[in-house]
Amino acid sequence: MIRLIICISGVCRAVLGVAAGATRAALTQHQARRNNMADVAAKDGSQETLVHLAALLISLVMIPLISENATLVWTLFVLCTTLHLYANYRAVSEVTMEIFNQARYHNVVEHYLSWGEILTVKEANRQESVTLGLRRPVKLHYGASLLSIATRLEQLSALEKVYEESKYLLSIDKQLSAVSIVLHEEVATVEELEVLFQAEVLFFILRDKRGLVWKTAWPMLLHACQSHEKATSVSELLHFSRDFTRSHFSLFVKMASAQGYLTHIAQLGSDEWRAVWNADSCQS
């Protein structure tokens, strides 16, 4: 039994180490306001060393006093663990980041489509869930392979006509259950934000199909939602979302930048697929 507990604890510690490393890197990048990431990382490491040293000294004093009282040991363990988890939760909840990830971007774009306004950085971070993942009305495959959306040259040519010189392709399946985004190997961050904006427009429209009615500040978008209730085709949805994005994305970026968001860098968490395509020759 002890071996099983040790094995489980080792696995949990390994998973925690991966998650903590990824989180620490993102926070360190956020705190390096003067491009001094190495300096921030060094100071963070020094603080952690000091905390471990203080914990060691306290444990040397406490262990002889409580080791023979099992009830007290378990009480302190539960109390300290609960306090540790709560403190971490509160600390992460108070972090305010100007860089978009998918959850913050979803909240900001949804508010923009609903009210024509941009959430402040604090409001967007406050709405982002620390424990629950982002839920959408349909699946999103972000950074998908080219083969997943175009198995024939005719399909690729049709998408190229829609997206012209853009460094991305977006497609939605006939069942309206999944949106796939293929990224070019030379795609820029602002173009990733643009294609995700189009995806959010699609998600906004598709909510009506699932019984969720949302107010919108844009008559053009309201008309699309009403038309979708009358069985708008996949092609019409795709073209409308593309046209709406062309009309509103530049304004959205300007308003977001005015609120303090950074649009030249982002942490959008795409898959690793990148592609190069044209109607005659394509690879992924």
Side-chain angles (χ1 to χ4, degrees):
M1 184 65 181
I2 294 179
R3 290 182 180 179
L4 177 61
I5 294 175
I6 293 175
C7 290
I8 294 175
S9 64
V11 172
C12 292
R13 184 176 180 84
V15 173
L16 175 63
V18 173
T23 303
R24 176 176 296 179
L27 291 177
T28 302
Q29 182 183 20
H30 166 67
Q31 293 168 344
R33 299 289 182 166
R34 301 176 182 175
N35 294 323
N36 56 338
M37 190 169 180
D39 184 40
V40 174
K43 291 179 179 178
D44 181 61
S46 300
Q47 291 177 351
E48 187 173 350
T49 301
L50 179 61
V51 170
H52 287 170
L53 178 61
L56 175 63
L57 295 176
I58 293 174
S59 65
L60 290 175
V61 175
M62 291 186 62
I63 288 176
L65 300 176
I66 67 173
S67 58
E68 297 182 359
N69 189 334
T71 302
L72 183 58
V73 169
W74 281 103
T75 300
L76 289 175
F77 171 76
V78 173
L79 179 63
C80 291
T81 300
T82 304
L83 180 62
H84 175 73
L85 294 175
Y86 178 73
N88 276 275
Y89 174 80
R90 291 294 302 171
V92 173
S93 299
E94 293 300 321
V95 173
T96 301
M97 302 184 71
E98 302 88 357
I99 299 174
F100 283 122
N101 61 9
Q102 285 197 33
R104 285 190 290 274
Y105 194 66
H106 168 77
N107 292 335
V108 173
V109 175
E110 182 181 273
H111 189 83
Y112 174 80
L113 296 178
S114 298
W115 305 100
E117 302 171 349
I118 301 293
L119 290 172
T120 65
V121 174
K122 288 186 177 180
E123 289 172 339
N125 280 267
R126 192 181 303 119
Q127 290 185 14
E128 182 182 3
S129 175
V130 176
T131 56
L132 300 178
L134 176 61
R135 296 182 179 181
R136 293 186 171 98
V138 298
K139 294 181 180 179
L140 173 65
H141 302 298
Y142 180 47
S145 68
L146 187 59
L147 188 61
S148 66
I149 67 169
T151 57
R152 299 191 306 274
L153 286 178
E154 293 80 4
Q155 294 174 316
L156 180 59
S157 298
L159 287 171
E160 278 194 305
K161 290 179 181 179
V162 175
Y163 294 100
E164 298 175 345
E165 300 300 324
S166 299
K167 299 297 184 181
Y168 58 79
L169 302 173
L170 182 148
S171 177
I172 183 170
D173 64 0
K174 295 181 180 180
Q175 292 75 31
L176 303 179
S177 61
V179 172
S180 298
I181 297 174
V182 177
L183 300 175
H184 194 276
E185 64 177 8
E186 297 177 354
V187 67
T189 299
V190 68
E191 291 174 308
E192 292 190 57
L193 294 176
E194 182 178 0
V195 69
L196 282 176
F197 184 95
Q198 181 182 352
E200 292 295 340
V201 173
L202 283 171
F203 298 148
F204 193 93
I205 297 173
L206 292 175
R207 285 190 182 94
D208 285 338
K209 183 178 179 64
R210 288 155 177 79
L212 299 174
V213 180
W214 296 83
K215 180 179 179 180
T216 175
W218 308 105
M220 182 180 179
L221 186 57
L222 178 61
H223 175 71
C225 293
Q226 294 171 344
S227 297
H228 178 61
E229 292 179 354
K230 302 175 183 178
T232 306
S233 69
V234 171
S235 177
E236 289 174 333
L237 283 174
L238 196 62
H239 281 82
F240 168 79
S241 61
R242 176 64 173 163
D243 292 340
F244 187 89
T245 300
R246 284 177 169 178
S247 302
H248 291 81
F249 180 71
S250 296
L251 175 62
F252 170 81
V253 170
K254 290 180 181 178
M255 294 175 66
S257 298
Q259 285 288 358
Y261 292 99
L262 303 180
T263 57
H264 63 284
I265 56 174
Q267 298 169 344
L268 300 173
S270 66
D271 290 339
E272 298 303 318
W273 286 100
R274 294 296 183 271
V276 179
W277 60 80
N278 57 63
D280 301 318
S281 174
C282 62
Q283 60 186 17
S284 175

